[in-house]
Amino acid sequence: GAIVRLRLAVCRVIMCIGSVSDVNLVSVACPSGYTVTGGGCSIDGDYTVFFLSKKNSNGWKCQRYNDPQTPGMTAYAVCCKV
């Protein structure tokens, strides 16, 4: 049979919370020694449209349309030692 070697990655989820209603851009960076492998955004409200959710250097960036009724936005980055 074949020998299969698995390499386990050590990962962390890092988040940055923009809690003021006029914050329309939030970004988060991975700590030193980690590489961004994914990410995402969340909103503390019922209706907001994201027009940007993407990798940003070694982190993640979230941007939304101006929505003064929405109280907060969070950017998440999945950061792994690879």
Side-chain angles (χ1 to χ4, degrees):
I3 296 175
V4 177
R5 293 181 187 218
L6 298 175
R7 182 174 176 213
L8 298 177
V10 175
C11 299
R12 299 169 60 184
V13 176
I14 310 296
M15 66 179 155
C16 178
I17 301 171
S19 59
V20 183
S21 63
D22 62 353
V23 173
N24 292 312
L25 174 67
V26 176
S27 61
V28 61
C30 291
S32 179
Y34 286 79
T35 301
V36 65
T37 59
C41 311
S42 69
I43 290 287
D44 298 335
D46 294 329
Y47 177 74
T48 293
V49 177
F50 284 109
F51 65 94
L52 181 70
S53 174
K54 70 176 212 163
K55 182 180 182 281
N56 181 39
S57 187
N58 193 34
W60 205 262
K61 182 193 305 188
C62 302
Q63 194 166 3
R64 66 183 178 183
Y65 288 104
N66 189 15
D67 185 357
Q69 312 245 330
T70 303
M73 178 171 60
T74 304
Y76 300 91
V78 180
C79 306
C80 299
K81 287 190 176 187
V82 293

